Amino acid sequence: MTVLLGLVTLVGTVVGFGIFGAPLIRRAAPAFMRVPRLAVATLMSVMGMWLFAVMAIGPMLAWLVSGPNHFMPGASAQVCQRCLEAASPLQPGAEIDTLIPVVLLLLAPLLLFTIILITGSWLRQRRQNTLRRLSKSLPCDGDRTMVEGHNVLVLPSQSPIAFALPKRRCGIVISPVLLELLNEQELRAVLAHEAAHLRQRHHLILALLHGVIVPLRWIPLISAIADAVPHYLEMAADNAARSEVGTPALASALLKLGEKPKVADHFHGPADALAEAAVTLHAAGADRIRQLVAPTRGRLGVVPAVGILSLAAVLTISSVMVHVPYLQAVLAGCLT
């Protein structure tokens, strides 16, 4: 009965959080915006905890049911049964007979991990291809200069642009129009913003995020996290810039720059939208000015944020209670 209750709790929390976690994340935004770097760490951890819990459903269900295993080759069926009995809290024979092969339940976490790994590797290759195309289209080894203490690439363009690629590629890229448009303090703010992206490894975070979400984007929770994290990364870079230069200069620069342009608008050649989002980080974005000038105060968003952390904790505890017995069984030698 305890195992059945635990399974119902785990499945219910996983499904409920997967569906209703998205509005919770949106309602927690006022609290998260005050601590954007902590928000990114929290949301990435929540995504990992949710996936960890999903991977626990199959192994936990395997404790409750028994099914055919005659199709397994050699002694694999015996090994599988031995590990299952060593991990299960139930007495042998207490399972419910079904037509479900138990091995499929035990291999479900491995299957999900494999799917994420394959799609992540595929996206990584697309990202590298995009970086190579950008490197060929942008003269990364060309007209580099020091501007306000930052080594930047000056890209000929008729628009005021400022963005950052991974440091080993082009790093900070600006246009001559930007230098004409912004005054000294505004320019310092924009460059400090882009330098923060590089210093805080935001490209790596986005690459990791996109590698996980591709096969799971249809899940509301994962979709909400994928949408929220890039915004909080921009706010984290804003905080670094405002601490160095001040809020007025940064807000004024963002207002002049307007909305984020696409890198594809500034060079000739194909650009993949999804991969481009994982490699380019812009200083532009007028939507952040309100948070800079009049940041949220008080306890607004705190309750949803606490709710998110509480649900994530429930998922983590429940899944650990499933995965640990299997790990102990393996370490005890059930595979041999």
Side-chain angles (χ1 to χ4, degrees), residues 244-265:
E244 182 176 331
V245 184
T247 299
L250 178 60
S252 176
L254 293 178
L255 187 62
K256 289 182 179 180
L257 289 175
E259 297 302 323
K260 296 180 181 180
K262 290 185 177 181
V263 176
D265 295 336

Side-chain angles (χ1 to χ4, degrees), residues 82-83 85-87 324-336:
R82 189 164 59 243
C83 289
E85 291 177 355
V324 167
Y326 281 101
L327 179 60
Q328 291 175 336
V330 171
L331 295 177
C334 72
L335 295 176
T336 59

Side-chain angles (χ1 to χ4, degrees), residues 71-311:
F71 62 89
M72 296 181 65
S76 300
Q78 296 180 2
V79 172
C80 177
Q81 188 63 35
R82 189 164 59 243
C83 289
L84 180 59
E85 291 177 355
S88 176
L90 301 177
Q91 295 295 325
E95 305 88 358
I96 302 172
D97 291 331
T98 68
L99 297 177
I100 304 174
V102 176
V103 66
L104 296 182
L105 299 175
L106 295 178
L107 292 179
L110 180 61
L111 177 61
L112 178 59
F113 178 78
T114 301
I115 292 173
I116 293 175
L117 183 63
I118 291 174
T119 54
S121 299
W122 168 71
L123 183 62
R124 180 179 180 275
Q125 186 60 46
R126 290 176 64 185
R127 180 175 181 270
Q128 292 300 319
N129 291 339
T130 299
L131 279 171
R132 278 193 289 270
R133 290 198 299 267
L134 286 171
S135 297
K136 291 180 180 178
S137 300
L138 303 175
C140 293
D141 297 325
D143 189 11
R144 305 195 68 88
T145 185
M146 295 295 295
V147 178
E148 299 295 337
H150 299 277
N151 189 333
V152 303
L153 170 67
V154 179
L155 175 67
S157 173
Q158 299 303 312
S159 302
I161 60 172
F163 61 87
L165 294 171
K167 187 178 294 187
R168 63 189 181 87
R169 294 292 178 174
C170 287
I172 300 175
V173 180
I174 63 174
S175 65
V177 178
L178 181 81
L179 300 175
E180 298 172 2
L181 178 67
L182 304 181
N183 63 38
E184 181 180 349
Q185 288 297 99
E186 293 167 345
L187 181 60
R188 285 183 57 201
V190 167
L191 294 177
H193 174 102
E194 297 300 351
H197 280 314
L198 300 178
R199 186 172 62 254
Q200 297 176 13
R201 310 296 293 275
H202 291 174
H203 294 93
L204 181 61
I205 294 173
L206 286 182
L208 177 62
L209 177 67
H210 290 156
V212 173
I213 67 172
V214 168
L216 304 173
R217 187 70 192 236
W218 56 275
I219 299 169
L221 174 68
I222 303 299
S223 179
I225 291 174
D227 292 337
V229 166
H231 290 292
Y232 293 135
L233 291 178
E234 294 295 346
M235 290 178 185
D238 283 345
N239 286 347
R242 71 195 298 185
S243 66
E244 182 176 331
V245 184
T247 299
L250 178 60
S252 176
L254 293 178
L255 187 62
K256 289 182 179 180
L257 289 175
E259 297 302 323
K260 296 180 181 180
K262 290 185 177 181
V263 176
D265 295 336
H266 303 291
F267 71 97
H268 301 291
D272 182 279
L274 181 61
E276 180 182 310
V279 299
T280 58
L281 288 165
H282 298 264
D287 57 313
R288 304 196 309 274
I289 295 177
R290 183 175 183 179
Q291 172 62 19
L292 287 171
V293 177
T296 56
R297 301 294 182 186
R299 299 179 180 179
L300 192 62
V302 171
V303 173
V306 172
I308 291 170
L309 294 175
S310 299
L311 287 171

